[in-house]
Amino acid sequence: MYFPNIPVIPYEGPNSTNPLAFKYYDADKVILGKTMKEHLPFAMAWWHNLCATGVDMFGRGTADKAFGAQEGTMEHAKAKVDAGFEFMQKMGIEYFCFHDVDLVPEADDIKETNRRLDEISDYILEKMQGTNIKCLWGTANMFGNPRYMNGAGSSNSADVFCFAAAQVKKALDITVKLGGRGYVFWGGREGYETLLNTDVKFEQENIAALMHMAVKYGRSIGFTGDFYIEPKPKEPMKHQYDFDAATAIGFLRQYGLDKDFKMNIEANHATLAGHTFQHDLRISAINGMLGSVDANQGDMLLGWDTDEFPYDIYVTTMAMYEILKAGGLTGGLNFDSKNRRPSYTHEDMFHAFILGMDAFALGLIKAAKIIEDGRIDGFIADRYSSYNSGIGAKIRAGETSLEELAAYADELGAPALPGSGRQEYLEGVINNIMFSV
Ligand code: XLS
Ligand code: CA
Ligand code: CA
């Protein structure tokens, strides 16, 4: 046991003051016809929860993630698996996400790294037996090793491109072996610092080629899930090619990848792109590409990716509103979130997940209320009602022309002003729903 003082986290309801209990996440409670657990396929990110020690560029780690083993060994890799499974079982979390190098220490020779990956994935598979725990998605870390300084698929070096391909191939093997629902491409260093040394078109074509090969190989080994692009505008690169959902969707369509790929939308990345989380969820959903979510929160006062555990209920409510409207996620809600550096104890890991899971559970409850209440949806439907009949209906049906519309305008002389947007009224409706019991 790695967390001997932590029990299985129970649901105790909003009046509980027990720090190690859920106040809102009641796994079997039915909301709009599905259990909370089905609406909210929560996942643990291997890298933050089991690997990250709170290192930042000003200081070394504060948290102990050795789990009793020597770091950098296979014994440590296995201890992380054991700790991770104990953690997920105590939290009632049924999915995990991983990068290849989160699972094992990377060796100098890729053949040895791959052997270690085979060994650890056998071990994980054994641990999965008799539990409900599964892989949500896997990915290859193609940004940490110095060889990826100029990107992976977008590298100027063909040899580096081959190493990226080899890592994708192996990460796909492991993802399929662990029954993963998805496979992520986060283009961390797929971008550029200066156009003085960069051929953007060449780099984008190469990234697309790598993705096409990944699809071909993945399908050949029986991967039936979705591939995901995880947009992020910057950090580590100044300009990243997958700036936001709209940009990534355009890229996928341009290169004929849109049938196999969807979006993995991260809250903090959307806000770095100058959008709300809700915006990028909506853009993905209306394009039929809302796949999975990296559930976290940024800090509006800081211009970087802080990966905080989500607690802003307005944000989780509007996120769940989008997800419900889109008919749910084929992926899940991965807590790509980390404890703040001073919250360094193992108990803090539990507090963080309780916070995040409760924040999404409460968001789900409130989003369902917004839908059941109907005032917001009713207002929006009414706002566009001039398209329900007459000239508006003809526009929607594509049965008119500029000439006909111009003649219509001539006849009218001047249109009435459009109906008020009533934003303040609608914000009041949201507050009313948020705070009524
Ligand atoms: C970094 C990203 C990364 C991806 C997976 O900002 O969030 O962790 O989710 O490579
Ligand atoms: Ca992420
Ligand atoms: Ca992030």
Side-chain angles (χ1 to χ4, degrees), residues 311-326:
Y311 70 88
D312 184 328
I313 306 300
Y314 283 94
V315 172
T316 57
T317 297
M318 297 324 288
M320 287 314 299
Y321 175 76
E322 294 302 323
I323 291 169
L324 288 174
K325 288 272 182 183

Side-chain angles (χ1 to χ4, degrees), residues 178-311:
L178 300 177
R181 280 190 181 187
Y183 183 87
V184 163
F185 280 88
W186 170 58
R189 292 194 198 270
E190 310 291 33
Y192 65 88
E193 295 296 322
T194 172
L195 288 175
L196 294 175
N197 63 14
T198 303
D199 184 336
V200 172
K201 184 164 186 284
F202 184 95
E203 294 197 354
Q204 294 203 350
E205 285 168 1
N206 276 1
I207 294 169
L210 180 61
M211 289 178 174
H212 271 291
M213 287 187 265
V215 170
K216 193 169 173 214
Y217 178 72
R219 299 307 179 212
S220 80
I221 59 166
F223 176 61
T224 54
D226 289 317
F227 289 86
Y228 302 123
I229 281 187
E230 181 183 322
K232 185 176 184 183
K234 57 188 170 188
E235 198 198 355
M237 296 307 253
K238 180 171 167 184
H239 300 273
Q240 283 176 195
Y241 295 136
D242 303 326
F243 188 93
D244 59 2
T247 312
I249 291 167
F251 171 87
L252 291 173
R253 293 214 173 114
Q254 181 180 354
Y255 291 104
L257 290 156
D258 48 308
K259 298 287 169 290
D260 292 283
F261 274 79
K262 289 191 165 72
M263 294 295 113
N264 179 42
I265 297 300
E266 178 173 319
N268 201 170
H269 296 181
T271 53
L272 281 175
H275 301 308
T276 59
F277 182 24
Q278 185 183 6
H279 170 90
D280 256 19
L281 293 172
R282 176 73 64 92
I283 296 298
S284 306
I286 63 173
N287 284 286
M289 287 201 200
L290 176 56
S292 206
V293 165
D294 269 11
N296 63 14
Q297 178 177 316
D299 186 321
M300 293 308 151
L301 302 182
L302 301 174
W304 63 90
D305 192 17
T306 58
D307 286 348
E308 296 176 34
F309 276 87
Y311 70 88

Side-chain angles (χ1 to χ4, degrees), residues 315-357:
V315 172
T316 57
T317 297
M318 297 324 288
M320 287 314 299
Y321 175 76
E322 294 302 323
I323 291 169
L324 288 174
K325 288 272 182 183
L329 295 169
T330 47
L333 291 155
N334 168 43
F335 286 109
D336 191 353
S337 314
K338 61 186 179 210
N339 281 100
R340 296 305 85 196
R341 193 165 183 267
S343 305
Y344 63 91
T345 72
H346 287 168
E347 187 176 320
D348 287 303
M349 292 159 58
F350 288 86
H351 292 310
F353 274 76
I354 291 170
L355 171 71
M357 290 165 75

